[in-house]
Amino acid sequence: MMNLIKDDETRRKEALEHLNYWLSSIKTDACQEGSDDSTNLSEKYPPVLLVGTHFDHLPSFGVDSSVTLKALDEFLNRELDNLHALNLTKTSHDMLIEGRKQLYNSAQDLCFWPVDNSNPNDANIQNIRKVLLESAMKDPGFDIFQEVPISFLLAMDKLTLLSEEVPVIPIRSDDPSEYSVIEIMRDCGVFKAFQDSDEMELNICKAVLKQYHKIGHFLYFDQIGLDEYCIVDPQWLINMITYIVRDFKLHRFYRDFKAMALSNGIPWKLLLNKGILHGDLLRKLWLDREHELFLTKLMLKLGIFGQLHENSHDPSKNLYTVTTAITISSKEAMELSMPKVRDYLDIGIEEGDIKETIDMSNCSFNLVPFYSRLVNRLITEWSNGYNDLEDEIPGLLPCAANLCLGEDYKFSICANEPAELLEVFFADASKVDVIMKYIAEAFKFVNRNMYQNRLRVGMTFRKVEDVVYRNGGYQEEKNIFSDTEMKNTTTPNSNLQALLDFSISEKIARIIHENDEEMIPEELIELYYGDKKVFENALLDFSISEKIARIIHENDVEMIPEELIELYYGDKKVFENALLDFSISEKIARIIHENDEEMIPGELIELYYGDENEILPELGITKKIDKVRIIKLLAKHPEPLEEEYYAIFNFVNEYDLEAVKEEESSIAKKLRLSYFKSTIFNGDYFHKIHTELRRNQEYKIVHFAMHGSSLDGSKLAACLKDSSVKCVFLNTCESEKVAMHLRDNPCLENVAYWKSKVEDNAAKSFAEAFYEYLCMNRRQNYLKFAEAFQFAKEHIELRNYLLLDPVADIDELERKKREVARPDLVAAGIPGFYDNTMKEKGESNPQAIIEPNDCMVMISFNNAFAGKDAEELCHFLNRHGMKTFSTRVFCPNNIGNWREYTVVGANKCKVCIALMTDGWLKSNKYQFETDIVKTRLARKRVHIIPLYYSSFDDGFDEDNNHFYGTSWASYQGIPSKENDVKWKESILKLCKGALV
């Protein structure tokens, strides 16, 4: 109260912001579930009393106390709209229901209660005690007259008594020396009237705790990860939060002094100045190692913390974000925010902003608490995006944050409280759609999981250019939750445009250069204002950077065409192919010729761009493109290649897909370049293919491309019988069943197919890469289909595709995006390959299924937590000669008892790989097989390779006497699966070493 009265504008504003923040938090966090705009405010929000402390200090100011208090009342009514919403003002007094009227300080006609908190007998302290009791008696939210079984009350009393010893009690415990809520309720007879079962007891226990939670007696969060404990002392949780989230200038604790001394005060300063909380500092402030894990989970669930870095083996090395801990006023933060945002996103002062705004005008609450939770959620989801970036990000302020989804996806979020907007600024207009997608997801997550969808507003984002925004107009409005594609939001940069057209003098250019070397580099000035011949030669031999080339291109499209930049600075292979098949313009060809006569000889240009009908009769060539190719190839090969029949293609493009058309054109072109002949069919293709194969015995591949798998496997097998075909490429969705029909063909060596749905462009890219490898060296590669398949897989993974099912693996795709901080990743599909040549040689099939009796390696895993990783690892090891057994691969293809197979594998294997997830650790059935391995391990009959996941619970490991974290620490393994991008290769290396 004194900070609001003192003649200190800064302190008054800080105190007002603090009060407004907490009142807003009450409105958003404690709003009645299921309420809406029609709900009476007194029923919608909880009863609130404002208490003004240090009233005894007021006489020292030498002012009339009653006049000062009245002035403060008017000030609060004027400045805080939240007072009216929470029914704390006189204007709303008559609207209060009976149980709320006494909350207002009618005796002094004030919206708050001034107290002398140094005097326990202060009159207003006595009045407040009375008011609280009356409010509880009359308020409908408490309903103290509700009939409750005596056994429930006995349990509540016993738990309350225990709260003096322990603040948190587990719901159930296997330790007989430890209290548990279920055991206490059982002793009090809570379950006597119900059927005796563990599940029934748990359900009743949770129902009772939820009721206690509703009236505020205990705190129980029925959410995964938090539902195993009950907080029987709510004040303990408030204290724990206060140690981290408080006004550090106003509230100090004795433990702060040891916390300040940690690492020369660096973690302390980092928390107060940047909102980054070190795990070791957290321990100094909480001083509660027993409940540390539960508390941090709770802080993350409530959005108070964000998870910046997680170390599952040493929690003291964890990093969290706490924007509300930053000791800086909102006014100062707003003054600092935009310069920091512009510097982070590299936006010039005069440049226009690339910005989206989220309209929060329909929300009657302070934006900052919501902004803090939104920022923490985005940081937690994309924490891997900050691993290799500079220390300045995430850069946090109370109302602004510099964030990223990965190195190339930088953006900033600002809470514009006066305008009731959340503003999102971007460094790159082409990344807006992707970033906004994940901001919208985080937005919905926060509302759903932290506010239980209580924020009932139709939130939209609006595209706003800076000048338009200042005038209060908006160009476009779109629902942030819409599934329709967002439009790019490119804002023209008038300042840069003036530089690009170079209608400025050399003097001005040099002034700009001295101010900003990035905008006009020195070499660009020398080139542009120097010797024109030198300038032109520099363009021709491209001894300039891509950036300068693009600046010149924007100034003079004719001088440096866009396609030349793309070719020169793009993929060199693409560049060379473009030269080879001459899919470039004559102008660009001549520019390259002037730069490098060897690359494109003058006669080649004349031939290619000369007379359409000109031929080379001595070579029998009648097509222009063939002339060019032959001239190039004759220079490299002493003997000309002969054309050879190679592939039959069947393209069923019933949906007229552009990707299928491009695939047909692209592959045919690659084959022609290597003098392979191909035949393309449509329509009644089985009859046509069968006839062509009988007519010509040179074909090596039959390729199918279609939307959806409508192939008849048995017909195709009959069609290919006794043919010369060595490989069938089924470039169509879910074609594994068709592939199975072809496996018994003794002449057919390979079948490439898709196990799952496949994304159209991924299918096209995969096929192009497959044939590119076969055509790279016609004499050596043209029958190496297995190598081509592997090359194609690696190729599409380099093009931001993941080998996941686009339909079934959506959750896994999103997890992978966050794991590697790459929001542009796309699920391609899951390719499959059958290699009959491996079978003949007695080698492991790339998709082999190893029986437990024959295995050298066994994988122990929990299917729900690491099933896909187990399957992927099993196939990978088998491809490299490690005979590996996994129930994930073996059981779907064999009848019998999976537990019996597991027992055999655990007793037969030479190496056991343990995928140590939280589910693996806490499942009794997986511990059963591990006990067998541990017994053999003690006798030195098996090697163990532990693969640790971030979900592995060290506390549970120790509490349940497993001690894997310590007893297996000396074995060679993978300490963090998430941090080892080549974890499969690392395991393969360890397996080979163990089996030597």
Side-chain angles (χ1 to χ4, degrees), residues 733 754-760 762-763 766 793 796-797 800-820 825-832 867-869 871-872 888 977 984:
C733 295
W754 291 95
K755 298 180 180 180
S756 66
K757 296 283 187 182
V758 56
E759 198 268 342
D760 291 333
F766 193 89
K793 285 177 62 177
I796 65 169
E797 286 184 305
N800 303 331
Y801 286 106
L802 291 178
L803 302 182
L804 297 172
D805 190 324
V807 177
D809 295 335
I810 294 298
D811 292 340
E812 177 69 6
L813 172 64
E814 292 300 320
R815 186 184 71 79
K816 289 281 189 183
K817 286 181 180 181
R818 289 159 173 77
E819 184 178 303
V820 298
L825 294 177
V826 177
I830 303 175
K868 290 184 182 299
D869 286 343
E871 181 179 355
E872 190 177 319
R888 169 87 175 197
K977 184 258 182 185
K984 294 193 291 291

Side-chain angles (χ1 to χ4, degrees), residues 61-264:
F61 286 85
V63 295
D64 186 326
S65 297
S66 60
V67 173
T68 302
L69 292 176
K70 201 64 185 174
L72 179 57
D73 178 77
E74 293 175 358
F75 173 76
L76 290 174
N77 275 280
R78 183 174 64 253
E79 296 293 330
L80 293 176
D81 290 335
N82 284 313
L83 293 177
H84 310 295
L86 294 174
N87 292 301
L88 296 174
T89 64
K90 185 176 181 180
T91 55
S92 60
H93 181 246
D94 294 335
M95 297 167 53
L96 293 174
I97 58 176
E98 191 62 33
R100 297 282 175 89
K101 287 186 177 180
Q102 66 275 4
L103 299 177
Y104 183 76
N105 187 356
S106 301
Q108 294 174 283
D109 198 17
L110 300 173
C111 66
F112 62 97
W113 299 74
V115 301
D116 174 4
N117 43 306
S118 64
N119 178 15
N121 297 317
D122 178 79
N124 268 348
I125 290 180
Q126 301 299 325
N127 290 333
I128 289 172
R129 289 173 179 167
K130 182 181 177 182
V131 164
L132 289 174
L133 183 58
E134 290 179 0
S135 179
M137 294 282 288
K138 296 180 179 180
D139 198 284
F142 285 94
D143 193 12
I144 63 172
F145 299 106
Q146 179 183 1
E147 293 183 358
V148 178
I150 296 296
S151 58
F152 287 21
L153 296 177
L154 288 174
M156 184 175 73
D157 290 342
K158 192 166 184 179
L159 289 169
T160 303
L161 189 63
L162 285 174
S163 69
E164 299 175 6
E165 301 177 28
V166 287
V168 180
I169 298 178
I171 302 303
R172 47 187 171 187
S173 174
D174 296 329
D175 185 353
S177 65
E178 184 180 35
Y179 294 115
S180 73
V181 177
I182 284 183
E183 189 63 35
I184 290 169
M185 288 187 174
R186 190 182 293 124
D187 291 344
C188 294
V190 171
F191 309 126
K192 279 186 178 180
F194 303 96
Q195 184 179 354
D196 186 17
S197 73
D198 291 345
E199 185 178 358
M200 179 64 73
E201 287 184 350
L202 180 60
N203 291 337
I204 295 170
C205 175
K206 288 185 175 183
V208 174
L209 291 179
K210 286 178 185 178
Q211 182 63 23
Y212 291 156
H213 177 94
K214 183 178 179 181
I215 63 176
H217 198 83
F218 301 139
L219 296 179
Y220 177 69
F221 302 92
D222 190 17
Q223 300 178 36
I224 296 175
L226 303 177
D227 57 354
E228 297 176 356
Y229 294 91
C230 173
I231 300 174
V232 292
D233 181 8
Q235 186 60 45
W236 169 82
L237 178 60
I238 294 171
N239 293 341
M240 289 299 171
I241 295 175
T242 304
Y243 291 137
I244 310 299
V245 182
R246 52 177 151 134
D247 186 341
F248 283 85
K249 296 177 182 177
L250 184 62
H251 301 288
R252 287 298 171 103
F253 300 96
Y254 181 76
R255 61 186 68 190
D256 288 357
F257 297 104
K258 288 188 177 180
M260 291 177 192
L262 185 67
S263 301
N264 296 319

Side-chain angles (χ1 to χ4, degrees), residues 107 164 200 206 278 312 370 377 414 432 434 444 462 480 483 497 529 619 635 720 742 744 760 781 803 842 964 984:
E164 299 175 6
M200 179 64 73
K206 288 185 175 183
H278 277 259
S312 58
F370 182 84
R377 175 62 184 175
C414 300
V432 171
V434 174
K444 289 187 285 188
R462 301 180 297 204
I480 195 169
D483 292 328
Q497 202 64 38
Y529 294 103
L619 298 177
L720 298 175
L742 307 177
D744 296 329
D760 291 333
N781 289 0
L803 302 182
Y964 293 116
K984 294 193 291 291

